[in-house]
Amino acid sequence: MARRSSSRACAAMATAAVFALLAATATASGLVRVEHPAKSDGSLSLLVVGDWGRKGTYNQSRVAEQMGKVGEKLNIDFVISTGDNFYEDGLTGVDDQAFEESFTDIYTAKSLQKPWYLVLGNHDYRGDVLAQLSPVLRKIDQRFICMRSFIVNAEIVDFFFIDTTPFQLKYWTRPKDHHYDWRGVAPRQKYITNLLKDMDEAMKKSTAKWKIAVGHHTIRSVSDHGDTKELLQLLLPVLKVNGIDFYINGHDHCLEHISSRDSPIQYFTSGGGSKAWRGVLQPNSDKLQFFYDGQGFMSLQINQDQADFIFYDVSGNILYKWSKSKANYLQPSTYITGENRN
């Protein structure tokens, strides 16, 4: 308990200055909007990790260690979690020790003592969802900022965090032996309709240079879960019509980049935070740029003119880099393919 108290104190001190600058307000649509300033030069650096909460097992601790090293090198502003924050069945309550054992005690590096913006995954919905959304957890570890759907405005970029679990019909109709906590969500159709309306309204009002959507579930994936048909049918049209640049997700326990063949949208999966899957590859109709069915995480460095993505493995090796430029809209994007892997 002493070590946990020390970790909490360290996190609180390290993030106090950052949170003093943050402001959260409700938009006209009802979505919470968090203002997170970019660096003084207008740039932003962050890490993305998903599917991690296993009390350090399945190499979660090793991934966390490398995230700390990369985070320090890039001087990151915050971390994004793409969901499935606590396995196997979310949290049992606000006093569940898994919160500290899978989060506070694992991500201890100084560079990771920044805000963590988190969406819920399907495994989180199998526990006490209201506990994971509770401000009580912020008192335990100030970094933990988890909401169903919300917006983070970082000046040059708007991040639209989307609660994707309720979209998948099978969780409602064929839950098998699992229990899903639908408090605050049911009835499904009304919830999804309102969420899509709110997101569409917020995206249309966005004046940021870049627009990035974040969810747990895949829209396009060649790994075990594959494409999520409900998101293809319901969410993707909203992303397309509003000029979303990137969709970032977890759910599949791998690292991948897929380019859409019928829109500018790029799909990035960062779900290698702990247990990984091996040997599953099922191509879809879009263009697969990169696929790694192992553990790791992703970084994103972005400014007015360019977004740079890098995937890292469990040892911190760079697996893949890709960049997109907006400096000149007539110039094609620059692709750095797997030939550049270490």
PDB file of all heavy atoms in Angstrom, residues 168-187:
ATOM      1  N   GLN A 168     -22.460  -2.796 -31.145  1.00  0.00           N
ATOM      2  CA  GLN A 168     -22.400  -4.194 -31.555  1.00  0.00           C
ATOM      3  C   GLN A 168     -23.589  -4.971 -30.999  1.00  0.00           C
ATOM      4  O   GLN A 168     -23.730  -5.199 -29.804  1.00  0.00           O
ATOM      5  CB  GLN A 168     -21.080  -4.842 -31.130  1.00  0.00           C
ATOM      6  CG  GLN A 168     -20.567  -5.632 -32.269  1.00  0.00           C
ATOM      7  CD  GLN A 168     -19.172  -6.166 -32.176  1.00  0.00           C
ATOM      8  OE1 GLN A 168     -18.430  -5.985 -31.211  1.00  0.00           O
ATOM      9  NE2 GLN A 168     -18.829  -6.864 -33.216  1.00  0.00           N
ATOM     10  N   LEU A 169     -24.452  -5.404 -31.909  1.00  0.00           N
ATOM     11  CA  LEU A 169     -25.729  -6.008 -31.523  1.00  0.00           C
ATOM     12  C   LEU A 169     -25.558  -7.307 -30.747  1.00  0.00           C
ATOM     13  O   LEU A 169     -26.363  -7.606 -29.852  1.00  0.00           O
ATOM     14  CB  LEU A 169     -26.569  -6.251 -32.782  1.00  0.00           C
ATOM     15  CG  LEU A 169     -28.009  -6.744 -32.558  1.00  0.00           C
ATOM     16  CD1 LEU A 169     -28.805  -5.740 -31.736  1.00  0.00           C
ATOM     17  CD2 LEU A 169     -28.686  -6.993 -33.908  1.00  0.00           C
ATOM     18  N   LYS A 170     -24.525  -8.063 -31.051  1.00  0.00           N
ATOM     19  CA  LYS A 170     -24.382  -9.375 -30.410  1.00  0.00           C
ATOM     20  C   LYS A 170     -24.192  -9.268 -28.898  1.00  0.00           C
ATOM     21  O   LYS A 170     -24.539 -10.194 -28.164  1.00  0.00           O
ATOM     22  CB  LYS A 170     -23.226 -10.158 -31.028  1.00  0.00           C
ATOM     23  CG  LYS A 170     -21.832  -9.629 -30.711  1.00  0.00           C
ATOM     24  CD  LYS A 170     -20.764 -10.525 -31.326  1.00  0.00           C
ATOM     25  CE  LYS A 170     -19.360 -10.063 -30.947  1.00  0.00           C
ATOM     26  NZ  LYS A 170     -18.320 -10.937 -31.545  1.00  0.00           N
ATOM     27  N   TYR A 171     -23.651  -8.164 -28.421  1.00  0.00           N
ATOM     28  CA  TYR A 171     -23.499  -8.000 -26.970  1.00  0.00           C
ATOM     29  C   TYR A 171     -24.858  -7.900 -26.278  1.00  0.00           C
ATOM     30  O   TYR A 171     -24.985  -8.204 -25.098  1.00  0.00           O
ATOM     31  CB  TYR A 171     -22.675  -6.759 -26.645  1.00  0.00           C
ATOM     32  CG  TYR A 171     -21.272  -6.751 -27.190  1.00  0.00           C
ATOM     33  CD1 TYR A 171     -20.689  -5.584 -27.664  1.00  0.00           C
ATOM     34  CD2 TYR A 171     -20.501  -7.919 -27.229  1.00  0.00           C
ATOM     35  CE1 TYR A 171     -19.394  -5.556 -28.148  1.00  0.00           C
ATOM     36  CE2 TYR A 171     -19.204  -7.900 -27.720  1.00  0.00           C
ATOM     37  CZ  TYR A 171     -18.658  -6.721 -28.186  1.00  0.00           C
ATOM     38  OH  TYR A 171     -17.378  -6.705 -28.674  1.00  0.00           O
ATOM     39  N   TRP A 172     -25.847  -7.440 -27.021  1.00  0.00           N
ATOM     40  CA  TRP A 172     -27.200  -7.292 -26.484  1.00  0.00           C
ATOM     41  C   TRP A 172     -28.007  -8.585 -26.642  1.00  0.00           C
ATOM     42  O   TRP A 172     -28.738  -8.978 -25.736  1.00  0.00           O
ATOM     43  CB  TRP A 172     -27.930  -6.161 -27.206  1.00  0.00           C
ATOM     44  CG  TRP A 172     -27.322  -4.814 -27.035  1.00  0.00           C
ATOM     45  CD1 TRP A 172     -26.235  -4.307 -27.690  1.00  0.00           C
ATOM     46  CD2 TRP A 172     -27.767  -3.766 -26.169  1.00  0.00           C
ATOM     47  NE1 TRP A 172     -25.976  -3.022 -27.297  1.00  0.00           N
ATOM     48  CE2 TRP A 172     -26.907  -2.654 -26.359  1.00  0.00           C
ATOM     49  CE3 TRP A 172     -28.824  -3.648 -25.260  1.00  0.00           C
ATOM     50  CZ2 TRP A 172     -27.063  -1.458 -25.670  1.00  0.00           C
ATOM     51  CZ3 TRP A 172     -28.986  -2.453 -24.568  1.00  0.00           C
ATOM     52  CH2 TRP A 172     -28.115  -1.373 -24.770  1.00  0.00           C
ATOM     53  N   THR A 173     -27.898  -9.219 -27.819  1.00  0.00           N
ATOM     54  CA  THR A 173     -28.776 -10.346 -28.134  1.00  0.00           C
ATOM     55  C   THR A 173     -28.145 -11.711 -27.876  1.00  0.00           C
ATOM     56  O   THR A 173     -28.866 -12.687 -27.650  1.00  0.00           O
ATOM     57  CB  THR A 173     -29.207 -10.276 -29.613  1.00  0.00           C
ATOM     58  OG1 THR A 173     -28.035 -10.331 -30.459  1.00  0.00           O
ATOM     59  CG2 THR A 173     -29.960  -8.975 -29.891  1.00  0.00           C
ATOM     60  N   ARG A 174     -26.802 -11.784 -27.937  1.00  0.00           N
ATOM     61  CA  ARG A 174     -26.115 -13.060 -27.725  1.00  0.00           C
ATOM     62  C   ARG A 174     -24.923 -12.863 -26.798  1.00  0.00           C
ATOM     63  O   ARG A 174     -23.758 -13.036 -27.198  1.00  0.00           O
ATOM     64  CB  ARG A 174     -25.638 -13.658 -29.060  1.00  0.00           C
ATOM     65  CG  ARG A 174     -26.749 -13.860 -30.073  1.00  0.00           C
ATOM     66  CD  ARG A 174     -26.279 -14.628 -31.295  1.00  0.00           C
ATOM     67  NE  ARG A 174     -25.075 -14.069 -31.902  1.00  0.00           N
ATOM     68  CZ  ARG A 174     -25.082 -13.042 -32.740  1.00  0.00           C
ATOM     69  NH1 ARG A 174     -26.227 -12.449 -33.063  1.00  0.00           N
ATOM     70  NH2 ARG A 174     -23.967 -12.582 -33.274  1.00  0.00           N
ATOM     71  N   PRO A 175     -25.177 -12.490 -25.543  1.00  0.00           N
ATOM     72  CA  PRO A 175     -24.073 -12.192 -24.616  1.00  0.00           C
ATOM     73  C   PRO A 175     -23.359 -13.428 -24.088  1.00  0.00           C
ATOM     74  O   PRO A 175     -22.377 -13.294 -23.362  1.00  0.00           O
ATOM     75  CB  PRO A 175     -24.782 -11.452 -23.486  1.00  0.00           C
ATOM     76  CG  PRO A 175     -26.161 -12.010 -23.479  1.00  0.00           C
ATOM     77  CD  PRO A 175     -26.494 -12.264 -24.927  1.00  0.00           C
ATOM     78  N   LYS A 176     -23.836 -14.599 -24.464  1.00  0.00           N
ATOM     79  CA  LYS A 176     -23.271 -15.864 -23.960  1.00  0.00           C
ATOM     80  C   LYS A 176     -23.338 -15.869 -22.432  1.00  0.00           C
ATOM     81  O   LYS A 176     -24.383 -15.641 -21.870  1.00  0.00           O
ATOM     82  CB  LYS A 176     -21.853 -16.065 -24.487  1.00  0.00           C
ATOM     83  CG  LYS A 176     -21.771 -16.180 -26.006  1.00  0.00           C
ATOM     84  CD  LYS A 176     -20.351 -16.424 -26.477  1.00  0.00           C
ATOM     85  CE  LYS A 176     -20.295 -16.547 -27.995  1.00  0.00           C
ATOM     86  NZ  LYS A 176     -18.909 -16.773 -28.485  1.00  0.00           N
ATOM     87  N   ASP A 177     -22.215 -16.129 -21.780  1.00  0.00           N
ATOM     88  CA  ASP A 177     -22.218 -16.190 -20.315  1.00  0.00           C
ATOM     89  C   ASP A 177     -21.848 -14.852 -19.681  1.00  0.00           C
ATOM     90  O   ASP A 177     -21.649 -14.777 -18.467  1.00  0.00           O
ATOM     91  CB  ASP A 177     -21.230 -17.264 -19.822  1.00  0.00           C
ATOM     92  CG  ASP A 177     -21.635 -18.658 -20.262  1.00  0.00           C
ATOM     93  OD1 ASP A 177     -22.850 -18.903 -20.369  1.00  0.00           O
ATOM     94  OD2 ASP A 177     -20.737 -19.485 -20.505  1.00  0.00           O
ATOM     95  N   HIS A 178     -21.746 -13.813 -20.495  1.00  0.00           N
ATOM     96  CA  HIS A 178     -21.292 -12.518 -19.992  1.00  0.00           C
ATOM     97  C   HIS A 178     -22.482 -11.622 -19.643  1.00  0.00           C
ATOM     98  O   HIS A 178     -23.553 -11.713 -20.234  1.00  0.00           O
ATOM     99  CB  HIS A 178     -20.413 -11.821 -21.025  1.00  0.00           C
ATOM    100  CG  HIS A 178     -19.257 -12.645 -21.483  1.00  0.00           C
ATOM    101  ND1 HIS A 178     -18.275 -13.076 -20.616  1.00  0.00           N
ATOM    102  CD2 HIS A 178     -18.927 -13.128 -22.707  1.00  0.00           C
ATOM    103  CE1 HIS A 178     -17.382 -13.792 -21.296  1.00  0.00           C
ATOM    104  NE2 HIS A 178     -17.757 -13.833 -22.549  1.00  0.00           N
ATOM    105  N   HIS A 179     -22.234 -10.736 -18.679  1.00  0.00           N
ATOM    106  CA  HIS A 179     -23.212  -9.721 -18.317  1.00  0.00           C
ATOM    107  C   HIS A 179     -22.654  -8.366 -18.715  1.00  0.00           C
ATOM    108  O   HIS A 179     -21.514  -8.013 -18.383  1.00  0.00           O
ATOM    109  CB  HIS A 179     -23.498  -9.730 -16.808  1.00  0.00           C
ATOM    110  CG  HIS A 179     -24.319  -8.554 -16.364  1.00  0.00           C
ATOM    111  ND1 HIS A 179     -23.753  -7.373 -15.903  1.00  0.00           N
ATOM    112  CD2 HIS A 179     -25.661  -8.364 -16.336  1.00  0.00           C
ATOM    113  CE1 HIS A 179     -24.701  -6.517 -15.607  1.00  0.00           C
ATOM    114  NE2 HIS A 179     -25.864  -7.083 -15.851  1.00  0.00           N
ATOM    115  N   TYR A 180     -23.444  -7.589 -19.455  1.00  0.00           N
ATOM    116  CA  TYR A 180     -23.023  -6.259 -19.870  1.00  0.00           C
ATOM    117  C   TYR A 180     -23.817  -5.205 -19.097  1.00  0.00           C
ATOM    118  O   TYR A 180     -25.039  -5.318 -18.957  1.00  0.00           O
ATOM    119  CB  TYR A 180     -23.219  -6.073 -21.379  1.00  0.00           C
ATOM    120  CG  TYR A 180     -22.262  -6.906 -22.199  1.00  0.00           C
ATOM    121  CD1 TYR A 180     -22.572  -8.221 -22.553  1.00  0.00           C
ATOM    122  CD2 TYR A 180     -21.030  -6.392 -22.592  1.00  0.00           C
ATOM    123  CE1 TYR A 180     -21.683  -8.990 -23.286  1.00  0.00           C
ATOM    124  CE2 TYR A 180     -20.139  -7.154 -23.337  1.00  0.00           C
ATOM    125  CZ  TYR A 180     -20.471  -8.449 -23.672  1.00  0.00           C
ATOM    126  OH  TYR A 180     -19.586  -9.209 -24.394  1.00  0.00           O
ATOM    127  N   ASP A 181     -23.110  -4.214 -18.608  1.00  0.00           N
ATOM    128  CA  ASP A 181     -23.706  -3.170 -17.780  1.00  0.00           C
ATOM    129  C   ASP A 181     -24.235  -2.060 -18.684  1.00  0.00           C
ATOM    130  O   ASP A 181     -23.506  -1.143 -19.067  1.00  0.00           O
ATOM    131  CB  ASP A 181     -22.648  -2.620 -16.819  1.00  0.00           C
ATOM    132  CG  ASP A 181     -23.207  -1.594 -15.848  1.00  0.00           C
ATOM    133  OD1 ASP A 181     -24.416  -1.291 -15.940  1.00  0.00           O
ATOM    134  OD2 ASP A 181     -22.444  -1.108 -14.990  1.00  0.00           O
ATOM    135  N   TRP A 182     -25.525  -2.146 -19.016  1.00  0.00           N
ATOM    136  CA  TRP A 182     -26.113  -1.180 -19.945  1.00  0.00           C
ATOM    137  C   TRP A 182     -26.777  -0.007 -19.230  1.00  0.00           C
ATOM    138  O   TRP A 182     -27.536   0.747 -19.853  1.00  0.00           O
ATOM    139  CB  TRP A 182     -27.129  -1.875 -20.846  1.00  0.00           C
ATOM    140  CG  TRP A 182     -26.574  -2.943 -21.737  1.00  0.00           C
ATOM    141  CD1 TRP A 182     -27.006  -4.223 -21.838  1.00  0.00           C
ATOM    142  CD2 TRP A 182     -25.495  -2.818 -22.684  1.00  0.00           C
ATOM    143  NE1 TRP A 182     -26.268  -4.921 -22.781  1.00  0.00           N
ATOM    144  CE2 TRP A 182     -25.330  -4.078 -23.308  1.00  0.00           C
ATOM    145  CE3 TRP A 182     -24.645  -1.778 -23.056  1.00  0.00           C
ATOM    146  CZ2 TRP A 182     -24.359  -4.326 -24.275  1.00  0.00           C
ATOM    147  CZ3 TRP A 182     -23.672  -2.016 -24.011  1.00  0.00           C
ATOM    148  CH2 TRP A 182     -23.545  -3.266 -24.622  1.00  0.00           C
ATOM    149  N   ARG A 183     -26.510   0.180 -17.949  1.00  0.00           N
ATOM    150  CA  ARG A 183     -27.061   1.347 -17.257  1.00  0.00           C
ATOM    151  C   ARG A 183     -26.588   2.638 -17.936  1.00  0.00           C
ATOM    152  O   ARG A 183     -25.412   2.816 -18.205  1.00  0.00           O
ATOM    153  CB  ARG A 183     -26.622   1.354 -15.790  1.00  0.00           C
ATOM    154  CG  ARG A 183     -27.284   0.278 -14.938  1.00  0.00           C
ATOM    155  CD  ARG A 183     -26.714   0.307 -13.526  1.00  0.00           C
ATOM    156  NE  ARG A 183     -25.293  -0.044 -13.502  1.00  0.00           N
ATOM    157  CZ  ARG A 183     -24.508   0.090 -12.428  1.00  0.00           C
ATOM    158  NH1 ARG A 183     -24.989   0.590 -11.309  1.00  0.00           N
ATOM    159  NH2 ARG A 183     -23.232  -0.275 -12.491  1.00  0.00           N
ATOM    160  N   GLY A 184     -27.553   3.500 -18.221  1.00  0.00           N
ATOM    161  CA  GLY A 184     -27.215   4.750 -18.891  1.00  0.00           C
ATOM    162  C   GLY A 184     -27.123   4.628 -20.391  1.00  0.00           C
ATOM    163  O   GLY A 184     -26.857   5.630 -21.077  1.00  0.00           O
ATOM    164  N   VAL A 185     -27.333   3.421 -20.922  1.00  0.00           N
ATOM    165  CA  VAL A 185     -27.219   3.186 -22.361  1.00  0.00           C
ATOM    166  C   VAL A 185     -28.543   2.715 -22.961  1.00  0.00           C
ATOM    167  O   VAL A 185     -28.979   3.216 -24.000  1.00  0.00           O
ATOM    168  CB  VAL A 185     -26.110   2.161 -22.660  1.00  0.00           C
ATOM    169  CG1 VAL A 185     -26.099   1.800 -24.139  1.00  0.00           C
ATOM    170  CG2 VAL A 185     -24.754   2.702 -22.237  1.00  0.00           C
ATOM    171  N   ALA A 186     -29.164   1.723 -22.335  1.00  0.00           N
ATOM    172  CA  ALA A 186     -30.420   1.188 -22.862  1.00  0.00           C
ATOM    173  C   ALA A 186     -31.524   2.260 -22.826  1.00  0.00           C
ATOM    174  O   ALA A 186     -31.551   3.092 -21.905  1.00  0.00           O
ATOM    175  CB  ALA A 186     -30.837  -0.032 -22.039  1.00  0.00           C
ATOM    176  N   PRO A 187     -32.397   2.269 -23.850  1.00  0.00           N
ATOM    177  CA  PRO A 187     -32.476   1.356 -24.988  1.00  0.00           C
ATOM    178  C   PRO A 187     -31.417   1.664 -26.059  1.00  0.00           C
ATOM    179  O   PRO A 187     -31.109   2.834 -26.304  1.00  0.00           O
ATOM    180  CB  PRO A 187     -33.886   1.559 -25.518  1.00  0.00           C
ATOM    181  CG  PRO A 187     -34.240   2.964 -25.123  1.00  0.00           C
ATOM    182  CD  PRO A 187     -33.552   3.203 -23.821  1.00  0.00           C
TER     183      PRO A 187
END
